[in-house]
């Protein structure tokens, strides 16, 4: 009456030791991490319920596709070729319009740069001519502004002198000296401990 070469009386003792060891380890794990295990089980249950609901909802569409003879993926969808062509044409037209606007902006920018270069070149030529004639090149550079305002320019006459002003206080006034002021004069306080007691 032996099984696997072990006596019958020895086997229940080993099983009871294994069960005791399992009881101790599982019990200590549940005592330590019990609420975490319960929370994880609840989350797994909720996720499983969501996924099973989605699978049930997608299953009829899969059956319809299989019945129609179309072996397609679950997430693929049918698109009208005419709609795709129209969308591509609209995208191409929008890109072409944007490119034309960009080209127009570039042309305007190039025209501005060309005008600035022409203006700089003209100013340099005027400066060179005025230097050749012995005039100041600064005066000729300001000439376009003077043409706009026909009145007398401030640089054309002798410079005006400022009228002599009297100073507001005497030359010997120093606010930190404590002199020259009325009854208000600042004095530093006494050194030493406070008079309170």
């Amino acid at each position: 009456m032996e099984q696997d070469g072990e006596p019958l009386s020895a086997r229940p003792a080993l099983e009871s030791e294994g069960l005791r060891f399992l009881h101790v380890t599982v019990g200590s794990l549940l005592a330590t991490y019990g609420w975490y295990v319960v929370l994880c089980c609840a989350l797994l249950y909720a996720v499983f319920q969501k996924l099973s609901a989605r699978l049930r909802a997608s299953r009829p569409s899969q059956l319809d596709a299989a019945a129609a003879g179309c072996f397609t993926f679950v997430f693929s969808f049918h698109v009208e070729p005419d709609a795709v062509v129209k969308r591509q044409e609209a995208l191409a037209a929008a890109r072409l319009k944007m490119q034309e606007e960009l080209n127009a902006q570039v042309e305007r920018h190039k025209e501005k740069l060309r005008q600035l270069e022409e203006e700089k070149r003209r100013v340099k030529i005027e400066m060179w001519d005025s230097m050749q004639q012995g005039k100041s090149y600064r005066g000729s550079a300001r000439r376009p502004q003077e043409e706009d305002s026909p009145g007398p320019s401030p640089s054309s006459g002798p410079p005006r002198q400022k009228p002599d002003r009297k100073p507001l206080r005497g030359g010997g006034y120093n606010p930190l000296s404590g002199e020259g002021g009325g009854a208000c004069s600042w004095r530093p306080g006494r050194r030493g401990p406070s008079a309170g007691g």
Side-chain angles (χ1 to χ4, degrees):
M1 299 242 165
E2 290 184 0
Q3 291 180 342
D4 299 332
E6 294 181 16
L8 289 175
S9 61
R11 191 165 187 183
L14 289 176
E15 285 181 5
S16 65
E17 277 185 36
L19 287 176
R20 189 175 304 128
F21 176 74
L22 183 65
H23 178 69
V24 169
T25 57
V26 170
S28 66
L29 283 175
L30 284 177
T32 307
Y33 303 109
W35 288 112
Y36 296 114
V37 171
V38 170
L39 183 64
C40 288
C41 289
L43 286 175
L44 286 175
Y45 179 74
V47 168
F48 180 73
Q49 291 297 324
K50 289 277 187 181
L51 289 177
S52 64
R54 285 189 183 181
L55 285 175
R56 275 188 248 122
S58 66
R59 196 168 284 216
S61 64
Q62 288 177 349
L63 293 175
D64 292 341
C70 300
F71 297 106
T72 59
F73 292 103
V74 175
F75 299 108
S76 66
F77 52 91
H78 182 68
V79 179
E80 295 291 328
D82 295 335
V84 172
V85 170
K86 287 180 182 179
R87 187 177 301 130
Q88 288 177 349
E89 287 175 355
L91 282 173
R95 286 183 185 138
L96 184 63
K97 181 181 176 184
M98 289 172 58
Q99 186 64 41
E100 287 174 357
E101 289 175 1
L102 183 63
N103 289 342
Q105 287 177 354
V106 167
E107 288 299 320
R108 286 193 299 267
H109 184 67
K110 282 182 181 179
E111 182 66 26
K112 282 183 182 179
L113 288 178
R114 190 184 60 76
Q115 287 176 355
L116 287 174
E117 289 278 328
E118 184 68 29
E119 183 67 24
K120 285 181 183 178
R121 189 179 65 80
R122 187 185 62 77
V123 167
K124 283 184 179 181
I125 290 173
E126 287 179 3
M127 285 173 42
W128 178 256
D129 288 342
S130 67
M131 286 176 59
Q132 291 296 324
Q133 295 173 2
K135 297 179 182 176
S136 170
Y137 66 90
R138 291 184 187 259
S140 64
R142 293 181 184 158
R143 197 174 287 164
Q145 294 173 354
E146 292 173 1
E147 292 170 359
D148 294 340
S149 59
S153 65
S155 62
S156 61
R160 290 188 284 177
Q161 296 179 354
K162 294 181 181 179
D164 293 331
R165 292 185 182 176
K166 293 190 305 181
L168 296 175
R169 293 265 183 176
Y173 173 71
N174 186 358
L176 298 178
S177 67
E179 300 174 4
C184 329
S185 63
W186 179 81
R187 291 184 185 171
R190 281 186 2 179
R191 291 190 179 188
S194 65

